[in-house]
């Protein structure tokens, strides 16, 4: 973004001299188009103060025209709002995304935008942080003109055309907010209720509403004071640190590397022009939709005619709904369907998404290897099966990788890209790039049971079951996890996704056995403590929401409202009595420590094994695939915030109390990081490398 005044002098914000800084806050240097430099937030000495500069621009007596090209985000847009006019290129994007960084627009954005476009529209932009196109910005009244031509030329021409006109009516800070229809207090109360419900403990969206309320109810100068007070609280908060860490983590994971030395910058992806999806169950449908929405021609293969007919209708509906939401045409022409696997002969990449059955998948990979072009990439959407075994069914195992999507695949942002020992760097680079084009946060992970996300989840799930055995209820465990910021606790989630899913996996792993004898040996499988509670519910036909009962009751099959179940409580009491378990009072802190630290401990093992390249990879997986509260950064960031010595001490404590639970035994990497002074999470990768090289 550039700024121009009526006599063609170019505004050069970076050269403005510094002035007194606001107490307690880092002062941003003049913002670039992407807003303030987030990396500077920790540096209290950087840059000239932004707010006085914007005031000086607005108070100037020559017309200042902001020429907006590319992005005008955060401080960039706030600077433009200080100008008297704004002209945007048709491809420009504007927004106040501070809330996504745990902040609010604190260079007057929360005070000027509602004065310019009204309270409801400003609340929408500031609370969500969404970017708008130039066309929408024009419609909202944020910009005065949109051009398809050279923006700077258009701005200069515009500035000359308005030179000499009075400027008082162009200074947004002098406006009152346009009146709202209806009662202003009622509007803010309603918005605040919604925001608090959706925020699940995030403080920035709440502060954003409070700041806009100040704009609507206070004179500008007092509104600015309120904006500054609110920002002061946010700026130093752990939530802002976590969200800013997460911003850089998302970018760091695209610079992938593997233990064998393959790297993102040394591996060129292959071009992908056409893609096939095999299997049109829930996952296959979502993947096909996500591909078509990203502009790829997709051939979808489903051998069961009935399933194919249903899937065609469902996919078209999903595409139409998505297009309506985004205000674009539905990409129905991208989709073609077949019941014959020969239809994939000309595609560049296949994503297999059939039922999670190794025998079936092996057969499909043999067929694909025979039918596809020899250089086609063959990907599997397995969530747990061995990618290398599938690769061994093909002529070119180096062209096989896992692409583990999360349900619903067209909505969830996470993609685990799983490389096997034989996957080529180019295959990995191609899958990573495809994920990026689909708008996913793609994370490269090594091949091991459960990969990263599900491997860590196992330790967490196990603790949740053990806590029930020891005296907790599903309600107690879930409320502790929801209070922490998960949208649903573990037991509600498993009722939603179906208890039979985990049961099937446990049966295949030889863990869930028919019938349970009494005595301690009934709760030991494969040499370690095991809880058969989930299996016992499944044996009684309690699969969760779909059967009307699981860990909670739902009134009827397909019911959605979870209510505590007295039957389940007596069942737990009988179970404990049968196994000689004396229930004790368990507090929410123990629930969090047991579930989360066991999961984090497995995260350290994953880092130690080189299955994930760094803590950022694990954190992105948990934030974008497993509902970890974004404002807590991810499990590894959270461990660093709690303090590694404390995590270690608590794990040692719980392992002493439960020596038959190996997941609670602190991982040696955690011990070594603590012994080396607990470096900050951003330095772990380096520290791990150093520790590995010392072995
Ligand atoms: C009294 C107190 C006064 C306080 C004043 C407050 C002022 C204001 O309210 C606060 C702000 O503006 S808050 C800020 C509000 N602004 C935002 O939240 C905007 C955040 N940025 C974005 O959303 C995206 O970058 C874009 C959509 C702009 C471009 O997407 P794209 O084309 O896919 O590109 P990409 O891959 O994303 O980025 C390329 C490289 O640039 C890097 N980088 C980017 N922005 C950065 C920044 N602000 N900073 C630092 N670095 C930033 C990024 O890390 C990456 O580096 P790498 O080393 O290559 O990895």
């Amino acid at each position: 973004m550039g700024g121009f005044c009526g006599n063609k002098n170019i505004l050069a914000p970076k050269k403005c001299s510094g002035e007194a800084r606001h107490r307690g806050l880092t002062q941003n240097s003049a913002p670039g188009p992407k807003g303030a430099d987030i990396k500077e937030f920790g540096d209290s000495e950087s840059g000239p103060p932004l707010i006085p500069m914007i005031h000086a621009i607005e108070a100037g007596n020559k017309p200042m025209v902001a020429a907006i090209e590319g992005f005008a985000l955060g401080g960039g847009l706030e600077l433009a709002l200080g100008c008297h006019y704004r002209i945007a290129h048709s491809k420009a994007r504007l927004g106040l995304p501070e809330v996504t960084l745990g902040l609010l627009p604190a260079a007057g954005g929360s005070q000027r935008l509602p004065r310019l476009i009204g309270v409801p529209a400003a609340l929408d932009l500031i609370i969500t942080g969404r970017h708008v196109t130039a066309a929408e910005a024009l419609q909202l009244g944020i910009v005065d003109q949109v051009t398809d031509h050279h923006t700077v030329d258009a701005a200069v021409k515009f500035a000359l055309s308005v030179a000499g006109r009075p400027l008082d009516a162009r200074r947004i800070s002098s406006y009152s907010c346009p009146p709202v229809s209806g009662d202003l207090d009622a509007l803010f109360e309603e918005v605040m209720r919604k925001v608090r419900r959706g925020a699940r403990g995030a403080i920035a969206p709440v502060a954003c509403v409070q700041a806009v309320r100040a704009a609507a109810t206070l004179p500008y100068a007092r509104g600015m004071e309120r904006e500054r007070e609110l920002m002061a609280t946010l700026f130093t908060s752990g939530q802002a640190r976590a969200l800013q860490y997460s911003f850089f983590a998302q970018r760091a994971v695209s610079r992938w590397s593997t233990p064998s030395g393959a790297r993102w910058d040394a591996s060129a992806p292959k071009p992908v022009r056409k893609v096939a999806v095999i299997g049109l169950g829930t996952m296959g449908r979502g993947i096909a939709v996500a591909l078509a929405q990203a502009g790829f021609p997709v051939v979808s293969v489903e051998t069961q005619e009935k399933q194919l007919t249903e899937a065609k209708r469902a996919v078209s509906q999903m595409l139409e709904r998505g297009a309506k939401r985004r205000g674009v045409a539905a990409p129905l022409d991208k989709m073609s369907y077949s019941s014959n696997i020969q239809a994939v002969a000309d595609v560049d990449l296949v994503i297999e998404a059939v039922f999670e059955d190794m025998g079936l998948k092996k057969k499909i990979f043999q067929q694909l290897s025979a039918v596809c072009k020899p250089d086609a990439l063959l990907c599997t959407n397995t969530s747990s099966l061995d990618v290398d075994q599938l690769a061994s069914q093909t002529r070119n195992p180096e062209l096989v990788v896992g692409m583990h999507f999360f349900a619903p695949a067209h909505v969830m942002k996470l993609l685990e890209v799983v490389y096997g020992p034989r996957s080529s760097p180019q295959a990995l680079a191609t899958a990573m790039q495809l994920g990026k084009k689909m708008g996913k946060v793609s994370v490269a992970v090594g091949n091991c049971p459960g990969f990263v996300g599900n491997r860590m989840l196992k330790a967490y799930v196990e603790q949740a079951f053990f806590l029930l055995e020891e005296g907790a209820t599903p309600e107690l465990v879930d409320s502790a996890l929801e209070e922490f910021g998960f949208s649903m606790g573990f037991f509600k989630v498993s009722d939603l996704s179906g208890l039979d899913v985990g049961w099937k996996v446990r049966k295949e792993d030889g863990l869930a056995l028919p019938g349970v004898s009494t005595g301690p040996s009934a709760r030991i499988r494969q040499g370690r403590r095991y809880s058969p509670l989930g299996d016992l519910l499944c044996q009684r036909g309690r699969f969760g929401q779909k059967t009307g009962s699981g860990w909670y009751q739902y009134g009827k099959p397909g019911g959605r409202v979870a209510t505590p179940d007295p039957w389940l409580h007596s069942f737990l009491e009988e179970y404990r009595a049968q196994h000689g378990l004396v229930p004790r009072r368990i507090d929410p802190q123990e629930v969090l420590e047991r579930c989360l630290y066991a999961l984090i401990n497995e995260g350290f093992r994953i880092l130690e094994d080189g299955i994930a390249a760094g803590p950022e990879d694990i954190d992105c997986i948990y934030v974008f695939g497993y509902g970890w509260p974004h404002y807590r950064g991810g499990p590894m960031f959270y461990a660093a915030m709690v303090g590694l010595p404390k995590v270690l001490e608590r794990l040692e404590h719980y392992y002493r109390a439960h020596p038959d639970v190996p997941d609670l035994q602190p991982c040696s990497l955690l011990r070594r990081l603590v012994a080396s002074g607990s470096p900050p999470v951003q330095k772990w990768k380096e520290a791990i490398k150093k520790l590995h090289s010392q072995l």
Side-chain angles (χ1 to χ4, degrees):
M1 189 201 81
F4 293 85
C5 68
N7 63 0
K8 294 193 196 174
N9 284 339
I10 294 178
L11 175 72
K14 294 261 179 204
K15 291 195 182 127
C16 283
S17 61
E19 281 188 34
R21 294 165 201 285
H22 289 294
R23 82 201 120 85
L25 277 182
T26 302
Q27 290 296 299
N28 307 101
S29 57
K34 296 171 186 176
D37 184 338
I38 306 162
K39 286 188 187 122
E40 280 186 355
F41 283 167
D43 167 13
S44 56
E45 291 310 313
S46 64
L50 179 55
I51 295 171
M53 194 173 73
I54 296 175
H55 279 154
I57 290 169
E58 191 185 58
N61 57 13
K62 288 180 179 152
M64 299 292 272
V65 184
I68 301 171
E69 277 181 344
F71 294 103
L73 301 176
L77 179 56
E78 292 176 296
L79 182 64
L81 291 173
C83 293
H84 306 121
Y85 301 93
R86 284 153 295 281
I87 297 200
H89 189 269
S90 53
K91 297 214 165 95
R93 292 279 183 283
L94 298 87
L96 293 174
E98 285 86 345
V99 69
T100 63
L101 300 168
L103 304 174
L104 58 79
S110 73
Q111 302 306 298
R112 283 196 178 85
L113 194 64
R115 286 178 159 79
L116 181 64
I117 66 172
V119 167
L123 275 171
D124 168 40
L125 293 196
I126 293 172
I127 295 168
T128 62
R130 75 183 176 91
H131 302 172
V132 296
T133 60
E136 189 179 351
L138 182 66
Q139 202 184 21
L140 288 169
I142 300 175
V143 299
D144 302 286
Q145 201 180 85
V146 174
T147 178
D148 281 325
H149 304 290
H150 193 267
T151 322
V152 171
D153 288 350
V156 171
K157 202 166 150 206
F158 187 92
L160 291 171
S161 76
V162 295
R165 285 201 202 156
L167 289 173
D168 283 350
R170 305 296 313 176
R171 295 188 177 102
I172 300 173
S173 67
S174 68
Y175 301 1
S176 297
C177 288
V180 297
S181 62
D183 180 46
L184 189 68
D185 285 337
L187 181 141
F188 274 105
E189 269 160 38
E190 176 59 20
V191 171
M192 192 57 106
R193 235 193 327 271
K194 273 199 194 140
V195 164
R196 281 192 202 279
R197 209 171 36 235
R200 292 188 282 123
I203 53 177
V206 173
C208 284
V209 180
Q210 289 168 327
V212 174
R213 184 173 198 145
T217 53
L218 298 174
Y220 174 75
R222 285 192 45 216
M224 284 299 285
E225 271 172 39
R226 184 77 181 121
E227 182 190 85
R228 197 187 61 206
E229 282 163 17
L230 290 163
M231 177 67 155
T233 319
L234 297 180
F235 201 76
T236 48
S237 69
Q239 295 197 3
R241 281 175 73 186
L243 287 161
Q244 288 157 31
Y245 160 82
S246 185
F247 175 83
F248 291 113
Q250 284 170 63
R251 279 138 190 96
V253 297
S254 63
R255 295 188 283 269
W256 56 268
S257 63
T258 70
S260 64
R263 287 171 55 91
W264 65 284
D265 50 357
S267 316
K270 278 158 64 76
V272 175
R273 292 175 207 90
K274 188 172 179 187
V275 184
V277 176
I278 312 289
L280 284 179
T282 312
M283 287 308 289
R285 293 175 195 185
I287 296 169
V289 167
L291 285 163
Q293 283 175 340
F296 291 96
V298 187
V299 50
S300 293
V301 177
E302 172 55 64
T303 49
Q304 292 179 30
E305 285 295 344
K306 187 164 171 266
Q307 172 99 311
L308 181 61
T309 312
E310 272 172 25
K312 277 186 193 172
R313 203 182 40 241
V315 167
S316 299
Q317 277 173 358
M318 284 151 87
L319 287 173
E320 269 158 6
R321 269 202 304 270
K324 195 169 164 203
R325 223 176 12 253
R326 293 188 295 168
V328 294
L332 297 171
D333 58 329
K334 298 284 179 205
M335 296 297 309
S336 60
Y337 299 89
S338 177
S339 56
N340 187 343
I341 200 156
Q342 297 289 338
V344 307
D346 66 339
V347 304
D348 304 300
L349 186 146
V350 182
I351 303 174
E352 164 279 308
V354 301
F355 201 62
E356 204 69 340
D357 175 320
M358 186 50 112
L360 176 62
K361 284 187 192 265
K362 276 187 176 169
K363 210 171 111 206
I364 285 173
F365 270 74
Q366 288 159 11
Q367 289 174 337
L368 290 173
S369 186
V371 171
C372 289
K373 295 191 291 191
D375 61 346
L377 210 72
L378 306 183
C379 309
T380 171
N381 174 50
T382 180
S383 59
S384 58
L385 299 177
D386 181 1
V387 172
D388 196 37
Q389 273 198 52
L390 295 175
S392 68
Q393 307 301 308
T394 66
R395 280 179 295 176
N396 299 312
E398 72 281 5
L399 294 180
V400 176
V401 290
M403 287 184 84
H404 178 205
F405 290 86
F406 288 72
H410 60 302
V411 176
M412 293 293 283
K413 290 276 282 180
L414 178 66
L415 175 66
E416 277 185 325
V417 178
V418 187
Y419 56 88
R422 287 181 284 178
S423 310
S424 71
Q426 192 182 37
L428 175 53
T430 308
M432 288 292 286
Q433 195 192 53
L434 180 68
K436 187 170 181 196
K437 287 190 175 161
M438 294 168 82
K440 304 291 177 198
V441 176
S442 308
V443 186
V445 301
N447 184 32
C448 68
F451 315 131
V452 169
N454 285 347
R455 176 171 155 181
M456 288 170 69
L457 197 67
K458 218 169 155 198
Y460 163 96
V461 169
E462 200 178 64
Q463 289 304 316
F465 285 152
F466 294 160
L467 286 161
L468 293 194
E469 290 189 339
E470 292 164 35
T473 58
E475 300 84 276
L476 177 99
V477 173
D478 283 353
S479 74
L481 294 167
E482 286 161 17
E483 193 62 28
F484 178 78
F486 285 100
S487 57
M488 269 191 199
F490 163 71
F491 291 106
K492 281 190 198 142
V493 174
S494 35
D495 274 357
L496 176 67
S497 47
L499 270 58
D500 49 330
V501 181
W503 192 34
K504 182 175 176 294
V505 176
R506 292 193 296 276
K507 280 197 280 194
E508 277 164 10
D509 290 348
L511 287 167
L513 305 172
V516 172
S517 54
T518 49
S521 60
R523 296 188 300 111
I524 293 186
R525 302 284 150 87
Q526 300 173 1
R528 50 189 280 174
R529 179 171 167 191
Y530 176 78
S531 169
L533 278 170
D535 308 335
L536 293 173
L537 290 203
C538 288
Q539 283 167 17
R540 285 162 172 78
R542 295 176 69 108
F543 291 169
Q545 288 190 5
K546 60 183 159 193
T547 56
S549 65
W551 298 107
Y552 294 87
Q553 56 170 302
Y554 296 88
K556 58 173 194 280
R560 301 211 154 230
V561 182
T563 49
D565 188 347
W567 178 89
L568 196 269
H569 295 163
S570 349
F571 163 78
L572 287 175
E573 277 165 27
E574 278 166 32
Y575 172 88
R576 291 180 197 120
Q578 190 186 11
H579 291 277
L581 297 162
V582 181
R584 61 189 173 82
R585 218 188 133 265
I586 291 171
D587 64 21
Q589 185 63 17
E590 178 174 350
V591 172
L592 287 186
E593 290 183 348
R594 294 265 300 270
C595 292
L596 303 186
Y597 294 176
L599 175 134
I600 287 165
N601 199 27
E602 194 58 34
F604 280 111
R605 290 202 181 98
I606 281 170
L607 290 176
E608 193 170 55
D609 296 350
I611 294 292
E616 294 89 350
D617 301 74
I618 294 177
D619 287 334
C620 283
I621 287 172
Y622 263 82
V623 165
F624 295 105
Y626 290 83
W628 186 279
H630 204 160
Y631 62 81
R632 291 193 190 268
M636 307 320 279
F637 178 87
Y638 177 68
M641 287 299 98
V642 169
L644 298 190
K646 160 115 194 266
V647 175
L648 175 62
E649 181 272 309
R650 297 314 289 157
L651 278 167
E652 277 170 338
H653 165 85
Y654 289 119
Y655 186 51
R656 270 195 304 276
H658 307 277
D660 52 353
V661 183
D663 287 341
L664 292 173
Q665 180 173 23
C667 161
S668 65
L669 175 62
L670 171 58
R671 286 188 190 287
R672 283 184 289 142
L673 283 173
V674 171
S676 66
S678 304
V681 65
Q682 292 85 351
K683 303 259 182 225
W684 286 7
K685 235 186 202 166
E686 256 169 65
I688 293 167
K689 234 190 203 161
K690 221 158 116 196
L691 291 170
H692 275 156
S693 69
Q694 286 163 4
L695 288 178

